[in-house]
Amino acid sequence: MGAVMQRSMPAASRLHSEAIQFRIILAATYPFFLAAALVQRVRPGQAPRRGLPAVRRSVFGEAKAMAVSAIPFAFMG
């Protein structure tokens, strides 16, 4: 019971490793989200939602926003 658990990596090193993993996943998934943003942009008949201000980003900004909002799910678990 007196054993002290040691972490395999220091906290700073672990955070750096996770940041690198995030960037790699972002680079790998960005082209898919860019394609999805392009499809959303050219799809006709999308009415803006009521009560929300219309935010118009570039296609690249929209793809990055979609990727950044989806990637944290890869780190869950």
Side-chain angles (χ1 to χ4, degrees), residues 18 21 25 69-77:
E18 288 179 1
Q21 289 176 3
I25 294 171
S69 67
I71 289 175
F73 293 105
F75 289 95
M76 290 183 177

Side-chain angles (χ1 to χ4, degrees), residues 2-60:
V4 176
M5 290 183 50
Q6 294 181 357
R7 293 185 180 179
S8 61
M9 293 167 69
S13 178
R14 191 168 20 109
L15 288 175
H16 181 69
S17 174
E18 288 179 1
I20 290 172
Q21 289 176 3
F22 181 84
R23 289 184 187 132
I24 290 170
I25 294 171
L26 179 64
T29 59
Y30 183 79
F32 298 106
F33 287 110
L34 182 60
L38 286 169
V39 169
Q40 282 183 345
R41 190 62 59 101
V42 298
R43 187 172 36 166
Q46 280 222 316
R49 296 181 201 145
R50 284 189 173 181
L52 297 176
V55 177
R56 188 72 169 181
R57 296 186 196 142
S58 70
V59 175
F60 301 107

